[in-house]
Amino acid sequence: MKVVPLGSRLLIKPYEEEKRTSGGIVLPDAAKEKQMTAKVIAVGEKVEDIDVKENDKVLYSKYSGTEIKIDDEDYIIIDQDDILAKIEG
């Protein structure tokens, strides 16, 4: 299934969270902090003033966007104003 964001929205896929600490301790889901980095999957037609395109890595606001599930994968539809930074390198 293909999802095309409308207006000034983006479809992003959050990166998987680390489930172990560096010491090897497994963290339960409740103890993990929400991940705020994601890969841009699709960009709406009216996205302006930010230089992001598909496959870019971005930092986004912690509690923004609408979480959706497509083919058992988690995605977020987010407004362009909730993108805080583009991560390079």
Side-chain angles (χ1 to χ4, degrees):
M1 175 173 23
K2 182 175 180 177
V3 176
V4 179
L6 299 176
S8 62
R9 291 177 180 81
L10 297 96
L11 178 67
I12 60 176
K13 181 172 177 32
Y15 286 105
E16 290 294 319
E17 301 169 9
E18 185 64 37
K19 297 181 181 179
R20 287 183 189 267
T21 64
S22 58
I25 299 172
V26 177
L27 296 174
D29 288 339
K32 291 186 277 187
E33 191 168 317
K34 185 175 177 181
Q35 185 72 289
M36 297 185 320
T37 57
K39 177 181 176 181
V40 176
I41 303 300
V43 179
E45 294 176 5
K46 295 184 179 179
V47 171
E48 301 170 353
D49 302 328
I50 58 172
D51 181 31
V52 294
K53 57 188 180 303
E54 291 180 13
N55 297 319
D56 282 349
K57 186 175 181 181
V58 294
L59 179 68
Y60 63 95
S61 297
K62 195 173 212 169
Y63 298 106
S64 58
T66 302
E67 296 179 359
I68 62 171
K69 191 172 279 249
I70 303 169
D71 300 329
D72 293 326
E73 297 280 335
D74 292 324
Y75 295 91
I76 299 173
I77 295 179
I78 192 168
D79 192 72
Q80 75 173 17
D81 294 334
D82 293 323
I83 299 293
L84 303 175
K86 179 178 171 181
I87 300 171
E88 297 178 349

